């Protein structure tokens, strides 16, 4: 563990709390906290990154389609399905997580909006291009 911490690796470690085992981050710090509180909160940032990764996978098949402008509705629907999964698993809030997909031309989609995580409660602004 000490070697991993010295290398800057963040990992999850089981800890006993009474009669139950809880899994906690070991070495959970981030220099991103200086520029944005949401980035400094690792679990919120990881949740947002995972949600956006799943959106990227969902939109991948639509990116190479020739009728790109017509696929914006399908892309938005796919994005909404990913958000619904995260809401259902209680990772993000339904009211605070809204992503809008627009055609960026040249086989790209722009995704913008907010992701609000459940715990810790943080709102992360999103403005990215998926190619």
């Amino acid at each position: 563990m000490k070697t991993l911490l010295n290398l800057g690796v963040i990992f999850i470690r089981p800890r006993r709390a009474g009669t139950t085992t809880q899994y906690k981050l070991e070495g959970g710090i981030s220099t991103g906290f200086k520029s944005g509180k949401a980035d400094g909160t690792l679990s919120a940032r990881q949740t947002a990154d995972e949600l956006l990764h799943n959106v990227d996978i969902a939109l991948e098949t639509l990116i190479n389609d020739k009728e790109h402008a017509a696929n914006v509705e399908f892309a938005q629907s796919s994005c909404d399905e990913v958000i619904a999964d995260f809401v259902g698993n209680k990772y993000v809030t339904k009211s605070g997580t809204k992503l809008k997909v627009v055609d960026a031309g040249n086989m790209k989609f722009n995704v913008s909006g907010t992701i609000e995580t459940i715990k810790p409660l943080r709102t992360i602004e999103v403005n990215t291009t998926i190619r």
Side-chain angles (χ1 to χ4, degrees):
M1 264 189 332
K2 188 173 183 178
T3 302
L4 290 173
L5 286 172
N6 288 338
L7 290 171
V9 176
I10 298 168
F11 55 93
I12 296 175
R13 175 182 134 179
R15 294 185 185 169
R16 297 282 294 165
T19 58
T20 62
T21 301
Q22 296 179 347
Y23 292 86
K24 303 250 181 185
L25 281 175
E26 191 69 34
I29 58 170
S30 173
T31 56
F33 193 75
K34 289 180 182 178
S35 60
K37 291 182 181 178
D39 285 331
T41 307
L42 290 175
S43 58
R45 184 75 247 171
Q46 289 171 339
T47 299
D49 289 346
E50 182 67 21
L51 190 147
L52 289 173
H53 175 70
N54 289 355
V55 168
D56 184 30
I57 291 170
L59 300 184
E60 189 175 342
T61 57
L62 298 173
I63 288 173
N64 294 323
D65 196 346
K66 299 284 186 210
E67 296 182 31
H68 202 63
N71 282 334
V72 173
E73 287 182 40
F74 293 118
Q76 184 65 56
S77 177
S78 296
C79 182
D80 292 343
E81 287 176 19
V82 170
I83 292 170
D85 286 344
F86 274 70
V87 168
N89 289 323
K90 298 188 184 336
Y91 294 130
V92 298
T93 65
K94 185 176 183 176
S95 60
T97 304
K98 307 249 187 273
L99 296 177
K100 183 175 180 176
V101 180
V102 295
D103 182 19
N106 199 20
M107 297 177 16
K108 295 183 275 188
F109 289 112
N110 280 342
V111 178
S112 61
T114 58
I115 299 172
E116 186 176 88
T117 59
I118 296 284
K119 188 174 181 180
L121 185 61
R122 298 283 186 213
T123 302
I124 297 169
E125 291 185 25
V126 175
N127 189 6
T128 188
T129 301
I130 297 178
R131 305 168 193 250

